[in-house]
Amino acid sequence: FNPFIYDLTKKAKDHLSDLGLAEPTIRPTGHWWHGYAVSCVTSSIDIAAARHGVRYIPAHEILARNNAPLAIPVGRQKLIPDQLFALDYGGSYRAFALEVDRGSEPKTSPAKRKSWARSIEKYNQVIEGGLYKQHYGLTANLLVLWVFNSRGDEDRFLGMVEGHSERVRQMVLARTVDECDTGKCFTTSLFEVPWHRAGSPGVTVGV
């Protein structure tokens, strides 16, 4: 059995535009399966949030505040989350950057290719320096959600986060979702069940 999932063609996008249903959505980058996994995670949180009366705010609405790109300048480099969204809990807000690791990213590679070590260090600078607030025009705190398809990878990742400040350890959350490779990673648990943190109790995305 192979899952058949159809992406929108130009004609489909034009038709949505004709119906007044088109949105300037921020599409996940990278290869197809990675983008699919990112979309599964955000869709799961969006659907579960709606069931709990929490409003999901997509990336394009956040970026419109400052007319900003998704990429955050960090010195001479850039940090580009896999996805960005926020939740409105009825007047209180939290913003989320999402990173999905399907087991293909290097752990500590010093090369320019995205690795855990380089990504954690960039998020450290973004969080400690409040760069996300300046860039996106946010007043809400930013939590960074890291999704893995292996609990071993999640544990190794959290071990690396341990070496950073208390603030970063509190704001970086991790979960293992091993169903994503089988196309079954829609799960309300991403909203309802606590995510893990380095060296302290976890926290739920839902409130």
Side-chain angles (χ1 to χ4, degrees), residues 58-80:
H60 66 271
E61 289 188 26
I62 298 172
L63 299 181
R65 296 171 62 92
N66 269 9
N67 194 27
L70 183 61
I72 304 174
V74 183
R76 296 183 178 180
Q77 301 180 344
K78 294 180 180 180
L79 172 65
I80 308 176

Side-chain angles (χ1 to χ4, degrees), residues 80-198:
I80 308 176
D82 285 338
Q83 193 52 278
L84 175 73
F85 66 94
L87 294 175
D88 175 2
Y89 303 94
S92 62
Y93 300 84
R94 284 193 298 193
F96 300 86
L98 174 65
E99 299 287 348
V100 173
D101 183 337
R102 297 182 61 254
S104 61
E105 293 182 359
K107 279 60 173 175
T108 59
S109 171
K112 289 187 177 180
R113 184 185 172 197
K114 192 175 184 180
S115 69
W116 293 355
R118 289 175 63 83
S119 294
I120 294 170
E121 180 52 39
K122 285 182 181 178
Y123 273 110
N124 178 67
Q125 295 177 59
V126 164
I127 292 170
E128 291 289 3
L131 302 182
Y132 67 92
K133 293 185 177 181
Q134 301 167 25
H135 183 71
Y136 296 138
L138 293 172
T139 56
N141 287 329
L142 178 76
L143 295 179
V144 186
L145 307 179
W146 235 289
V147 175
F148 299 90
N149 60 8
S150 160
R151 187 56 190 266
D153 280 350
E154 179 191 331
D155 290 342
R156 286 191 290 274
F157 170 80
L158 289 176
M160 294 174 67
V161 176
E162 282 272 12
H164 290 268
S165 69
E166 175 66 19
R167 187 178 182 191
V168 171
R169 294 198 304 270
Q170 291 293 312
M171 297 177 77
V172 174
L173 311 177
R175 280 283 298 276
T176 298
V177 183
D178 56 8
E179 297 90 350
C180 278
D181 278 337
T182 65
K184 299 178 181 178
C185 59
F186 287 96
T187 170
T188 59
S189 70
L190 292 173
F191 183 84
E192 298 165 345
V193 176
W195 291 62
H196 305 128
R197 289 191 291 198

Side-chain angles (χ1 to χ4, degrees), residues 38-60:
V38 171
S39 298
C40 283
V41 172
T42 53
S43 297
S44 294
I45 293 173
D46 186 356
I47 292 168
R51 292 174 180 172
H52 288 266
V54 174
R55 184 168 71 96
Y56 179 94
I57 304 172
H60 66 271

